[in-house]
Amino acid sequence: MTQALSRPTTSSEQDRDQHLIYSGITWEQFKLIQAGFADSNRVRLFYYQDTIEILMPGYTHEFYKTIIGFLIELFCLENGIEFEPTGSMTQQREGEVSVEPDESYYFGTSKPTPDLVIEVVFTSGSPKKLQRYQALEIPEVWFWQDGIFSLYRLRDRTYEVISQSEIPELAGLDIELLTRCVAMAKTSRLEAANTFRNALKK
């Protein structure tokens, strides 16, 4: 079993993600580890191809994931879009893969899998992030990293980079505006929300 520890450099220990990767883990071992963390809402677990990733997100990670979710939900409310937020709800395929994204959503009606999952990335982490979601057949995946959104759409079992969401309910969401307002929120949540809402009304 190998171990890799990855942490971003910040001025505050509280702000840092704690990030562990272990390989050579069976599904049965993963389920035991998962059960051990059942009462902890600070830990997110991922499993794919005999590798477990354990993430204990820091302040900045949680800040951005919450702001991104808030703005997406604000977009839906302003546009009369029915949505179901499922947060970090575990998505898994027995014996193969398990993920706990930062945010996840169904739009319109509930489906077997979420329409969208979002991950905030502050460490290079596992190179298998997209492969995990591919195994679960998640239609659309967004990553927020270094102040930029990277959007991926599943086509023929492979993810392709896209510049605009292809989820029908999010077709009118300006990703550039969303990016700008997420960054703005670090200084002022109120200004970010008002700027976003006012832009939606134009």
Side-chain angles (χ1 to χ4, degrees), residues 4-94:
L5 173 63
S6 175
R7 293 183 179 181
T9 301
T10 65
S11 58
S12 169
E13 183 71 21
Q14 182 185 21
D15 188 57
R16 298 177 182 177
D17 287 355
Q18 297 181 55
H19 187 233
L20 300 162
I21 298 174
Y22 296 95
S23 61
I25 303 294
T26 66
W27 179 258
E28 291 73 21
Q29 289 171 324
F30 165 69
K31 296 304 287 184
L32 289 172
I33 294 169
Q34 188 180 53
F37 284 109
D39 295 329
S40 176
N41 57 12
R42 281 202 67 247
V43 177
R44 295 197 189 116
L45 302 176
F46 304 82
Y47 180 87
Y48 186 56
Q49 292 184 340
D50 300 327
T51 299
I52 183 173
E53 181 178 351
I54 303 172
L55 174 65
M56 290 158 278
Y59 167 81
T60 301
H61 186 122
E62 294 297 272
F63 175 87
Y64 279 115
K65 80 101 178 176
T66 303
I67 290 297
I68 291 167
F70 165 72
L71 292 176
I72 288 173
E73 291 166 24
L74 181 58
F75 173 85
C76 290
L77 291 171
E78 291 290 326
N79 287 279
I81 295 169
E82 190 64 64
F83 68 97
E84 183 178 349
T86 47
S88 299
M89 182 178 71
T90 300
Q91 304 288 329
Q92 69 179 24
R93 179 167 290 173
E94 191 70 23

Side-chain angles (χ1 to χ4, degrees), residues 15 37 41 62 66 76 106 112 150 154 160 170 181 190:
D15 188 57
F37 284 109
N41 57 12
E62 294 297 272
T66 303
C76 290
Y106 296 91
S150 299
L154 189 64
E160 294 182 6
L170 298 185
C181 290
L190 184 60

